[in-house]
Amino acid sequence: MTPFKLTEELLTTIEQHIENQDNTALHTMMADYHYADIAEVINELDEDQATYLIKLLESEQTSDVLTELDEDVREAILGNLSSKEIAVELEELDTDDAADIVGELPKDIVQEVISEISDRKHARDIVDLLRYDENSAGGLMAKELVKVNENWNVLNCVKEMRQQAESVTRVHSIYVVDDEGILKGRLSLKDLLTASMTAHIRDVYIPKVDSVNVNEKPEEVAKIMSKYDLEAIPVVDEIGRLVGRITIDDIVDVIREEAEKDYQLAAGISQDVEADDSIWDLTRARLPWLFLGLIGGVGAAGIMGGFESMISKHAILFFFTPLIAAMAGNVGVQSSAIIVQGLANDDLKGSISDRLIKELLLATLNGLILAAVLLLFTWAWKGDFPTALAISISLIAVIIVAGIIGTFIPLFLHKRGIDPAIATGPFITTSNDIFGILIYFWIAKSVLGI
Amino acid sequence: MTPFKLTEELLTTIEQHIENQDNTALHTMMADYHYADIAEVINELDEDQATYLIKLLESEQTSDVLTELDEDVREAILGNLSSKEIAVELEELDTDDAADIVGELPKDIVQEVISEISDRKHARDIVDLLRYDENSAGGLMAKELVKVNENWNVLNCVKEMRQQAESVTRVHSIYVVDDEGILKGRLSLKDLLTASMTAHIRDVYIPKVDSVNVNEKPEEVAKIMSKYDLEAIPVVDEIGRLVGRITIDDIVDVIREEAEKDYQLAAGISQDVEADDSIWDLTRARLPWLFLGLIGGVGAAGIMGGFESMISKHAILFFFTPLIAAMAGNVGVQSSAIIVQGLANDDLKGSISDRLIKELLLATLNGLILAAVLLLFTWAWKGDFPTALAISISLIAVIIVAGIIGTFIPLFLHKRGIDPAIATGPFITTSNDIFGILIYFWIAKSVLGI
């Protein structure tokens, strides 16, 4: 496979073909491309060019392209299509993708678009899906699945399956339900290929099947599917009726988005910006965290102002404040990151106090090693052993407190049902800067007996 | 589904059953559990208990359990099994998982273990896989796949498939090869279910199939599979022969591990530790980054020492050094994180200079807003407008430089083929601390005309 690469030249060629309305050339080019690649191209075109290309190509291809576009680009293009044209696109899509697009449409045209969908079952399924919270298993699932009744025989089942399979892009498992629609188990394709045609489904199906409730959080579904290596999972309602199916490709997106969100929070960026967003969007994502840093810095300046009387005799104490702040910040971020990751992976065992004791030992060990190095350096630099000792002792205390705060805050937030990832990054750094500098001057002052 | 939850009580019960050698109770309990859940249990047992349980259960179940265990637990258990016992476990596994386990065995027993595998084709496949770099598509792929020759007819194909499917847990696609074994295309199960039995494969197969080279990096495979929503991808050698298949469950692990690695690097933790690792392991992961911070702090102290003459008249300048360091660090981490993420997702368009100009504008905007707030505050606090102005102007300069460094370094590393993720976190913070404080004092000095 030669991977697709969107170069400047390629983009210019496509833009020229669009300007010249050279539809034959465009059709030929696009026929070779995967829909995800076409989406990459369209994300770079201007609105008129993008709309032209979408209208030119077959809905079979463009419907998938639409699902892959950046949200703002998709919104712009859909704004240029008639309700009928949108309905034709929806018709080609699986119900989950179709429902996602309908969910983004302006409220006043939703009804008209839905009414233009000629496959009424498809339309009903889409409307059903609109009812679920986007941030739940119901919001992720599709209605397309292959299900058979436990009372059928294998021959019926194969017939029915062939028909159902027409509308299902990927058959993973065949789900078995009873007359009430309650999920009972599953059949693998392999079992079906090897079973006798006259056998009854109730005698050959596997009664064990993992499933999730429609109200389950997407992160939980992701955890279950990746822990149990599932490629699809059936979704059931409150009384166990089979209502949909979630496939692994949607879960891959959930995992990526979760990881990006946590990463951005740790870096002090409110979620959901990309390098190519506008300066204004990027400022809105970054400025709040910088303000937090500014407040922390002002707090630190205030604390140092309180110790101003020491500055003439012990200027060196002031020189080490950036070091103290940096170490407090780094230790805090390290310990909180490990806790946040442990919580995300569900592999934190034991109580909060066990965690805190462990971090206490860890921070003490790290603190002793670092303080010993700093002691030697500072003593050698200024030849003032008491001050060097005071700085080093303070450093140990600061590292311990920073480690404890970094461990405690995410655990505390998690207990309260708040996403612990917000506790990493600037939040921890800023609070540890202030605590760190306060502890530092306070201990240094005591040690030096000022 | 009632999700499995490993409680203290459950663990105690299992431990007691093991102590009492109550094998019936253990068999009954474990029969209900998924292998991933049993692995969770065994990770918490001591070595003797773990070995007892593994030896008690059937290899059909324990082989999968072994693949899910923590590496150190698995190593300990395998150390207590004979070569024959290990071979029996390998026999039950897909070749990719078996090869991963063989790769972890002590070199001196590998040959013996392999010779004990009674299915010689399986043994050969495992040995073939050992040759590939762990960090490549070859290291991820399994030999289990369903392939048919383009010259067969559908009937042959179904027969052959039934047989091949016996050893393949999940059939995704049927791959079509020519007489040389070169990958030509694929057949979907759906196509096969609906095609005439006498049709030739060469007339019904889809000649377009995504594939990756055995030498491709796992991250690239993950990108391709998630971009194109693939659940399996065939792997070909240098001349296009089909040599294996990678499935999405392995890719989900790659994506999770990549995300964790980047997150940990951003937080200043050398990769691959968990909250439950020993204090010694955690210290080794955290201490190097803290040393980096220590060196940065000492550097900052040295710079401030160089400006010591200013301390009597302009003590306030020194009070704001933690603020300057924090802002330089935060801006640097923000801008580098956005670049690192853009690079990871392959969605950075345009040249390095475009990026730098954009960051310059962004940092200037943020800097102006933050500096205005700081100016008002500092002026109000000390009533010394020139000093307040000097601090604020320096802040703008520091933010701009920090943003440029944060943008440039990951782009530069990426160009050089180095993972840009190492540039985030402590690395950027520390270098920006030093640069920030240097610029700050230098500009403040000039503005105040000292």
Side-chain angles (χ1 to χ4, degrees):
Chain A
M1 192 177 80
T2 45
F4 173 83
K5 182 96 189 112
L6 181 55
T7 58
E8 288 292 330
E9 296 93 297
L10 179 59
L11 193 61
T12 312
T13 312
I14 293 169
E15 284 171 341
Q16 275 165 357
H17 286 326
I18 294 174
E19 291 315 309
N20 304 336
Q21 310 209 346
D22 188 348
N23 296 348
T24 326
L26 286 170
H27 269 298
T28 317
M29 284 181 87
M30 298 299 152
D32 274 348
Y33 292 163
H34 188 280
Y35 59 78
D37 297 326
I38 301 180
E40 227 180 289
V41 170
I42 290 183
N43 279 333
E44 300 302 311
L45 298 176
D46 71 30
E47 188 179 329
D48 290 342
Q49 293 169 332
T51 309
Y52 182 85
L53 195 53
I54 289 283
K55 288 195 178 190
L56 176 71
L57 302 175
E58 294 298 319
S59 63
E60 210 178 303
Q61 197 171 29
T62 53
S63 57
D64 287 321
V65 172
L66 283 175
T67 65
E68 299 283 332
L69 288 176
D70 289 346
E71 200 176 321
D72 49 337
V73 176
R74 178 167 55 236
E75 194 190 315
I77 294 175
L78 290 177
N80 293 329
L81 301 185
S82 69
S83 294
K84 178 71 199 157
E85 284 168 324
I86 297 174
V88 170
E89 303 283 356
L90 296 180
E91 201 105 40
E92 295 287 343
L93 289 174
D94 278 354
T95 46
D96 55 342
D97 294 325
D100 288 345
I101 288 184
V102 173
E104 288 174 17
L105 291 175
K107 293 263 172 293
D108 53 315
I109 70 160
V110 168
Q111 202 172 342
E112 197 183 318
V113 169
I114 298 276
S115 70
E116 294 278 6
I117 298 176
S118 49
D119 177 348
R120 292 322 288 163
K121 181 173 180 315
H122 195 61
R124 279 196 304 274
D125 284 344
I126 294 171
V127 172
D128 281 350
L129 289 180
L130 289 178
R131 265 190 274 128
Y132 296 101
D133 179 3
E134 213 187 317
N135 192 30
S136 74
L140 273 180
M141 71 185 184
K143 286 288 189 176
E144 284 82 3
L145 51 81
V146 178
K147 70 176 172 190
V148 298
N149 190 300
E150 58 175 347
N151 299 315
W152 297 349
N153 64 30
V154 171
L155 184 65
N156 284 348
C157 174
V158 170
K159 269 195 210 155
E160 179 68 23
M161 239 196 74
R162 281 198 184 205
Q163 201 191 333
Q164 292 184 17
E166 291 294 315
S167 69
V168 180
T169 326
R170 288 160 181 168
V171 180
H172 290 92
S173 265
I174 303 141
Y175 300 118
V176 178
V177 296
D178 66 11
D179 292 337
E180 310 285 306
I182 307 270
L183 178 67
K184 305 291 282 184
R186 67 187 166 87
L187 271 174
S188 73
L189 277 172
K190 234 168 83 180
D191 297 333
L192 205 69
L193 278 170
T194 48
S196 139
M197 283 296 168
T198 54
H200 271 87
I201 299 300
R202 62 173 168 271
D203 301 322
V204 295
Y205 82 84
I206 307 154
K208 259 185 93 160
V209 59
D210 295 306
S211 65
V212 290
N213 186 282
V214 276
N215 301 313
E216 194 68 85
K217 290 263 162 261
E219 305 90 82
E220 276 307 310
V221 181
K223 262 184 220 168
I224 293 169
M225 291 185 72
S226 82
K227 176 174 177 186
Y228 298 127
D229 288 345
L230 304 174
E231 300 195 338
I233 196 164
V235 182
V236 296
D237 68 9
E238 287 77 357
I239 57 167
R241 282 178 305 189
L242 178 63
V243 289
R245 179 190 72 155
I246 296 174
T247 49
I248 189 75
D249 54 317
D250 294 319
I251 290 303
V252 168
D253 296 340
V254 169
I255 293 173
R256 276 192 187 277
E257 281 162 23
E258 272 295 298
E260 297 209 342
K261 199 195 71 186
D262 286 359
Y263 187 77
Q264 295 200 336
L265 283 173
I269 304 165
S270 321
Q271 64 199 76
D272 263 353
V273 284
E274 283 169 25
D276 284 320
D277 285 347
S278 71
I279 288 186
W280 174 237
D281 285 339
L282 287 166
T283 297
R284 278 197 309 173
R286 288 167 57 164
L287 201 54
W289 298 105
L290 295 178
F291 258 113
L292 189 63
L294 193 75
I295 293 168
V298 165
I303 293 170
M304 288 165 77
F307 291 92
E308 193 167 1
S309 57
M310 292 161 67
I311 211 168
S312 52
K313 277 183 78 177
H314 296 282
I316 189 173
L317 286 183
F318 288 80
F319 298 164
F320 281 100
T321 47
L323 182 144
I324 294 293
M327 298 307 278
N330 287 354
V331 169
V333 168
Q334 285 181 335
S335 46
S336 64
I338 284 198
I339 297 292
V340 166
Q341 209 157 55
L343 289 170
N345 294 338
D346 254 354
D347 56 28
L348 279 194
K349 307 257 150 47
S351 66
I352 290 192
S353 56
D354 288 352
R355 287 283 141 213
L356 292 176
I357 290 168
K358 184 168 182 183
E359 180 62 34
L360 181 70
L361 294 172
L362 185 62
T364 308
L365 178 62
N366 285 345
L368 283 171
I369 297 172
L370 294 163
V373 175
L374 187 64
L375 177 68
L376 292 176
F377 172 82
T378 323
W379 187 18
W381 185 28
K382 291 281 175 184
D384 175 358
F385 186 77
T387 308
L389 187 67
I391 293 172
S392 298
I393 291 175
S394 312
L395 179 65
I396 299 174
V398 166
I399 287 177
I400 292 172
V401 173
I404 298 287
I405 292 177
T407 304
F408 180 74
I409 291 182
L411 287 172
F412 173 79
L413 291 179
H414 181 70
K415 276 249 163 190
R416 286 293 174 103
I418 302 167
D419 182 358
I422 63 157
T424 52
F427 187 79
I428 283 283
T429 321
T430 303
S431 51
N432 278 353
D433 275 9
I434 296 184
F435 279 114
I437 288 176
L438 189 61
I439 293 166
Y440 167 72
F441 276 105
W442 186 72
I443 293 192
K445 206 177 154 169
S446 314
V447 172
L448 291 171
I450 312 170
Chain B
M1 190 178 79
T2 45
F4 174 84
K5 181 95 191 113
L6 181 56
T7 59
E8 288 292 330
E9 296 93 297
L10 180 59
L11 194 60
T12 312
T13 312
I14 293 169
E15 284 171 340
Q16 276 165 358
H17 286 325
I18 293 174
E19 291 315 309
N20 304 334
Q21 311 209 345
D22 189 347
N23 297 347
T24 326
L26 286 169
H27 269 300
T28 317
M29 284 182 85
M30 298 300 151
D32 273 349
Y33 292 164
H34 189 279
Y35 59 79
D37 297 325
I38 301 181
E40 227 181 290
V41 171
I42 291 184
N43 279 333
E44 299 303 311
L45 298 176
D46 70 31
E47 188 180 329
D48 291 342
Q49 293 170 333
T51 309
Y52 182 85
L53 196 53
I54 288 284
K55 288 195 178 189
L56 177 70
L57 301 176
E58 294 297 320
S59 61
E60 209 178 303
Q61 197 171 30
T62 53
S63 57
D64 287 322
V65 173
L66 283 174
T67 65
E68 297 284 332
L69 289 175
D70 289 346
E71 200 175 323
D72 50 336
V73 177
R74 178 167 54 237
E75 194 189 317
I77 294 175
L78 290 176
N80 294 327
L81 299 186
S82 69
S83 294
K84 178 71 200 159
E85 284 168 326
I86 297 174
V88 170
E89 302 284 355
L90 296 180
E91 201 106 39
E92 295 287 343
L93 288 173
D94 278 355
T95 47
D96 55 342
D97 294 325
D100 288 344
I101 289 185
V102 173
E104 289 175 16
L105 291 175
K107 293 263 172 294
D108 54 314
I109 69 160
V110 168
Q111 203 172 340
E112 199 183 317
V113 168
I114 298 276
S115 70
E116 294 279 5
I117 297 176
S118 48
D119 177 347
R120 295 319 292 163
K121 180 173 182 314
H122 195 60
R124 280 196 303 275
D125 283 345
I126 294 172
V127 172
D128 282 349
L129 288 181
L130 289 178
R131 264 188 276 128
Y132 297 101
D133 179 3
E134 215 187 316
N135 193 29
S136 74
L140 273 182
M141 71 184 184
K143 286 288 189 176
E144 284 82 2
L145 51 80
V146 178
K147 68 176 173 190
V148 298
N149 190 300
E150 59 174 345
N151 299 315
W152 297 350
N153 64 29
V154 172
L155 184 65
N156 284 349
C157 174
V158 171
K159 270 194 209 157
E160 179 68 22
M161 240 195 74
R162 281 198 183 207
Q163 202 191 330
Q164 291 183 18
E166 290 295 313
S167 69
V168 180
T169 326
R170 288 162 180 164
V171 180
H172 289 91
S173 265
I174 302 141
Y175 301 118
V176 179
V177 296
D178 65 12
D179 292 337
E180 311 284 306
I182 306 272
L183 179 67
K184 305 291 282 186
R186 66 188 167 87
L187 271 175
S188 74
L189 279 171
K190 235 168 82 180
D191 296 334
L192 205 68
L193 278 169
T194 48
S196 140
M197 283 296 168
T198 54
H200 272 86
I201 299 300
R202 63 172 167 273
D203 300 323
V204 295
Y205 82 84
I206 307 153
K208 256 184 98 159
V209 60
D210 296 306
S211 65
V212 290
N213 186 283
V214 276
N215 302 314
E216 193 68 84
K217 289 264 161 258
E219 305 90 81
E220 275 307 309
V221 181
K223 261 185 222 168
I224 292 170
M225 290 184 73
S226 83
K227 177 173 177 187
Y228 298 127
D229 288 345
L230 305 174
E231 300 194 338
I233 196 164
V235 181
V236 296
D237 68 9
E238 287 77 357
I239 56 167
R241 282 177 307 189
L242 178 63
V243 289
R245 178 191 74 155
I246 296 173
T247 49
I248 188 76
D249 54 317
D250 295 318
I251 290 304
V252 167
D253 296 339
V254 170
I255 292 173
R256 276 193 185 277
E257 281 161 22
E258 272 294 301
E260 297 209 342
K261 199 195 71 186
D262 286 358
Y263 187 76
Q264 295 199 335
L265 282 173
I269 303 167
S270 321
Q271 66 198 76
D272 262 353
V273 284
E274 284 170 23
D276 284 321
D277 286 347
S278 71
I279 288 187
W280 174 236
D281 284 339
L282 286 166
T283 297
R284 277 197 308 174
R286 288 168 56 165
L287 201 54
W289 297 106
L290 295 179
F291 259 112
L292 189 64
L294 193 75
I295 292 168
V298 165
I303 293 170
M304 288 165 77
F307 290 93
E308 194 168 358
S309 57
M310 292 161 68
I311 211 167
S312 52
K313 277 184 78 176
H314 296 282
I316 189 173
L317 285 182
F318 288 80
F319 299 163
F320 280 100
T321 48
L323 182 144
I324 293 295
M327 299 307 279
N330 288 353
V331 169
V333 168
Q334 284 180 336
S335 47
S336 64
I338 283 198
I339 296 294
V340 167
Q341 208 157 55
L343 289 170
N345 294 339
D346 255 352
D347 55 28
L348 279 194
K349 307 259 151 44
S351 66
I352 290 192
S353 57
D354 287 352
R355 288 282 143 213
L356 292 176
I357 290 168
K358 184 168 182 184
E359 180 62 35
L360 180 71
L361 294 172
L362 184 62
T364 308
L365 178 61
N366 285 344
L368 283 171
I369 297 171
L370 293 163
V373 175
L374 187 65
L375 176 68
L376 292 175
F377 172 82
T378 322
W379 187 18
W381 186 26
K382 293 278 175 185
D384 176 358
F385 186 77
T387 308
L389 187 66
I391 293 173
S392 298
I393 290 174
S394 312
L395 179 65
I396 299 173
V398 166
I399 288 177
I400 291 173
V401 173
I404 298 287
I405 291 177
T407 304
F408 180 75
I409 290 183
L411 287 172
F412 173 79
L413 290 179
H414 181 70
K415 276 248 163 188
R416 284 293 173 104
I418 302 168
D419 182 357
I422 64 158
T424 51
F427 187 79
I428 283 282
T429 322
T430 303
S431 51
N432 277 353
D433 276 8
I434 296 185
F435 278 114
I437 289 176
L438 190 61
I439 293 166
Y440 168 70
F441 276 105
W442 187 71
I443 293 192
K445 208 176 153 167
S446 315
V447 172
L448 291 171
I450 311 172

